[in-house]
Amino acid sequence: MSRQIFSDWDIPKHILDALANEGWEFPTEIQREAIPSAREGRDIIGQARTGSGKTAAFGIPIIEKSEPTGKPQSIVLCPTRELATQVCNELQWLQGKKGLTILPVYGGTDLEKQAKKLDSGVDIIVGTPGRVIDMTKRKHLELASITLLCLDEADRMLDMGFWPDISWIFSNMPERNQTLLFSATFPQEIIDSTEEFLNEPVTVMSDDLEVEVPEIDQHWIKIGRANKLWAVSRILVNMSDSDQCLIFCNTKRMVEMLEDRLGKHRFSASTLHGDMSQNKREKVMAGYREGEIKTLIATDVAARGLDVDGVTIVINYDLPDNPEDYVHRIGRTGRMGRKGQSWSFVGRDDLRQLERIRTTWNLNITKSDAPELPENLNRDPVRIRKDWNESSDPFGMVRISIDAGENTITSSLSLSEWIISQAKVKELAIGEIQISSDCTTVDIHAESAQRVLEIMERREFNGNKLTANLENR
Ligand code: ADP
Ligand code: MG
């Protein structure tokens, strides 16, 4: 069987020309499976992994079905402005010489200018829900004439955050006769909810809703707050000139803080989050796409859909709250069969969340150490610190192991009295002491552990120097 090529389909010549221009010859799997049904006018639930070409899977039929009449016929809704821009650009080149007016409609840009453009005629809208509703209410956009609705990142668009807006848009589109939903993830409850507004949809989906993740080497590092900056620095110093890194934090504040802290250690990075001006957001995205910006720190505004060729490394500085977000975040690398790697920082309180992510998607995430320093560096740009909290048990105790056994430490009482008098710690700060033939362990409250280690380094116990270390557990 020979491989399907785009020109096997009787799609219009202007699209075929555009595809050829772009150097695309073979449709991807999701394109092969979704495009024929979409062309027939069917509703579609299309699931395929990140970076597998879903945009053209809905883009080609949308272009084919729309005519340059100046009346809006199709609308694509996206969760973020960055994604709306990107999708709009792809539809733009996909249409070739068809002459459709395709407009992005999202917030943060001049309302008047946008209204003027809409007033002078538009065929396809690509936008975010808020601004689309706004423009409709101001009568610059006529949803009533639109027959085709597409939700990119559909599970996100249908979750509770966006649902009120989407539902408003649905109810203002009486002529809607085709609905296309695309995403890499479709939680079952979202699929169930689509019954309300889809009409005998064709479902294109991998088995058991399992996501296949592209070629991404997924690592996790056991690390607490105190040393995440050190771990980031280890990854950043190992980047080559052709690498680009995307770091996800869970809050805007953390994004800003991390940029600031990295800056203090002379790492340059840019940020992207929802509190930035639209102008700044666009500048940053352009710089990142161009590869001028090597490291971008972002909230989940960057998690969905963004297709930046050069992203080779994704870091979850914080683990995401939703298992879906994990898949989307790491999917910013490994686009279209390229290789990528992801690093997730997991403190002991995050272990359960990591397990949840792993089991939800049946993922292979390998426990690793932070990368070694490269050969041309002999010292860490960020020093690693003793992270007492990360090593303590639920009672706040950490375990110190001493390189001396019963010959040196003859009784636990003598050791604890020595610690109390030398380190000036309270008796309560000392827990269990176990002495064996060649090694001794002492449990110490995390708050006092640093002092205890210090006196062990400096002072002698019964005329012996003790070598003590924090035990990792
Ligand atoms: P998804 O939405 O599934 O994450 P995209 O639509 O963003 O993926 O596509 C990922 C990348 O693959 C983009 O850079 C896109 O231009 C490219 N691409 C998509 N389809 C093809 C194709 N048939 N041939 C070559 N490149 C493609
Ligand atoms: Mg996409």
Side-chain angles (χ1 to χ4, degrees):
M1 208 179 73
S2 68
R3 218 165 141 196
Q4 163 119 44
I5 54 176
F6 279 113
S7 47
D8 289 345
W9 283 323
D10 59 343
I11 44 179
K13 183 161 178 324
H14 56 86
I15 296 181
L16 288 177
D17 288 347
L19 290 168
N21 240 335
E22 192 73 9
W24 291 18
E25 204 176 341
F26 309 102
T28 64
E29 188 172 341
I30 183 71
Q31 290 162 5
R32 278 202 312 276
E33 289 178 9
I35 290 173
S37 306
R39 294 181 74 209
E40 284 170 17
R42 302 286 303 269
D43 283 357
I44 300 216
I45 300 178
Q47 186 235 337
R49 68 190 196 181
T50 53
S52 62
K54 293 186 288 293
T55 318
F58 60 75
I60 290 173
I62 287 176
I63 301 277
E64 185 179 3
K65 280 161 188 281
S66 308
E67 291 302 329
T69 62
K71 260 200 178 308
Q73 301 140 64
S74 307
I75 186 164
V76 182
L77 295 172
C78 304
T80 64
R81 300 167 187 176
E82 283 72 20
L83 185 55
T85 308
Q86 177 184 302
V87 169
C88 192
N89 289 341
E90 183 149 334
L91 296 195
Q92 202 61 261
W93 72 254
L94 266 174
Q95 74 153 328
K97 298 205 169 76
K98 184 157 186 177
L100 297 166
T101 308
I102 307 172
L103 282 184
V105 174
Y106 50 73
T109 53
D110 191 329
L111 261 167
E112 297 286 308
K113 258 197 218 157
Q114 205 164 64
K116 254 195 204 124
K117 282 191 189 159
L118 285 169
D119 291 344
S120 54
V122 55
D123 305 303
I124 300 175
I125 301 283
V126 184
T128 52
R131 185 55 79 88
V132 165
I133 292 175
D134 199 12
M135 283 300 181
T136 309
K137 287 185 176 162
R138 290 167 193 259
K139 307 238 179 293
H140 298 294
L141 176 55
E142 207 187 325
L143 290 178
S145 66
I146 297 182
T147 54
L148 191 158
L149 168 77
C150 174
L151 301 181
D152 194 10
E153 306 295 338
D155 58 328
R156 176 83 186 86
M157 304 308 288
L158 294 169
D159 76 11
M160 282 179 344
F162 276 114
W163 176 246
D165 286 355
I166 299 295
S167 145
W168 189 93
I169 292 172
F170 274 144
S171 62
N172 282 276
M173 286 184 56
E175 298 296 316
R176 173 175 61 95
N177 61 19
Q178 185 173 18
T179 307
L180 310 176
L181 309 181
F182 281 86
S183 181
T185 51
F186 275 102
Q188 188 58 48
E189 68 267 21
I190 296 287
I191 304 240
D192 295 344
S193 75
T194 60
E195 247 175 60
E196 256 180 76
F197 57 85
L198 292 187
N199 179 18
E200 295 176 21
V202 176
T203 308
V204 179
M205 203 170 274
S206 24
D207 298 342
D208 305 330
L209 298 186
E210 226 174 64
V211 282
E212 329 137 59
V213 173
E215 281 231 22
I216 300 170
D217 286 331
Q218 301 170 59
H219 305 272
W220 71 277
I221 307 178
K222 174 89 175 26
I223 201 139
R225 278 259 153 238
N227 283 314
K228 285 185 177 185
L229 191 66
W230 165 81
V232 171
S233 76
R234 278 289 180 93
I235 296 168
L236 297 185
V237 293
N238 275 287
M239 277 168 65
S240 73
D241 284 348
S242 58
D243 281 323
Q244 271 182 294
C245 179
L246 179 54
I247 307 177
F248 284 103
C249 300
N250 287 357
T251 62
K252 299 165 191 166
R253 209 178 115 72
M254 196 59 229
V255 167
E256 295 286 348
M257 269 167 44
L258 182 57
E259 182 201 22
D260 193 54
R261 287 186 193 156
L262 282 174
K264 291 200 170 108
H265 292 276
R266 295 165 192 274
F267 287 104
S268 84
S270 297
T271 57
L272 187 75
H273 61 67
D275 280 354
M276 289 162 52
S277 73
Q278 184 55 24
N279 199 343
K280 185 82 211 292
R281 279 169 74 161
E282 277 169 24
K283 275 214 180 95
V284 166
M285 269 319 290
Y288 197 50
R289 282 188 195 284
E290 289 297 314
E292 283 153 22
I293 295 171
K294 296 289 183 193
T295 303
L296 181 62
I297 313 168
T299 56
D300 280 300
V301 289
R304 292 269 185 167
L306 294 190
D307 183 57
V308 176
D309 233 29
V311 180
T312 44
I313 302 164
V314 171
I315 300 176
N316 286 312
Y317 194 86
D318 303 312
L319 266 192
D321 293 332
N322 288 322
E324 280 78 30
D325 289 336
Y326 177 88
V327 167
H328 292 281
R329 285 179 176 190
I330 67 163
R332 293 318 99 216
T333 182
R335 313 285 298 166
M336 264 288 134
R338 288 190 199 88
K339 271 192 100 63
Q341 50 175 286
S342 70
W343 297 87
S344 298
F345 295 171
V346 181
R348 62 167 192 204
D349 297 338
D350 307 318
L351 285 166
R352 280 180 57 191
Q353 177 62 359
L354 176 71
E355 211 35 47
R356 206 165 72 125
I357 290 168
R358 209 204 290 267
T359 50
T360 305
W361 309 113
N362 198 9
L363 294 175
N364 220 335
I365 315 175
T366 321
K367 184 169 186 192
S368 308
D369 293 324
E372 297 289 322
L373 277 179
E375 279 186 356
N376 57 357
L377 270 190
N378 47 24
R379 98 167 235 261
D380 266 309
V382 178
R383 285 238 306 267
I384 189 163
R385 290 194 263 167
K386 290 238 165 52
D387 190 351
W388 305 106
N389 288 327
E390 190 60 20
S391 325
S392 64
D393 69 10
F395 304 104
M397 306 295 272
V398 300
R399 180 160 291 176
I400 285 174
S401 69
I402 305 169
D403 219 4
E406 56 203 11
N407 290 337
T408 316
I409 301 173
T410 46
S411 75
S412 43
L413 188 63
S414 64
L415 181 63
S416 69
E417 281 181 344
W418 181 75
I419 294 174
I420 290 167
S421 68
Q422 299 293 318
K424 310 264 181 301
V425 300
K426 294 205 182 76
E427 193 174 347
L428 270 177
I430 304 179
E432 203 180 334
I433 298 181
Q434 288 175 328
I435 308 173
S436 68
S437 57
D438 56 355
C439 166
T440 301
T441 61
V442 194
D443 290 354
I444 307 268
H445 195 273
E447 278 174 13
S448 305
Q450 181 67 40
R451 280 225 303 292
V452 172
L453 274 184
E454 277 167 12
I455 62 124
M456 287 186 176
E457 226 170 71
R458 286 200 219 116
R459 302 192 188 161
E460 292 186 344
F461 173 80
N462 284 348
N464 293 295
K465 191 116 191 50
L466 302 178
T467 313
N469 280 301
L470 176 68
E471 234 175 55
N472 264 327
R473 27 179 191 189

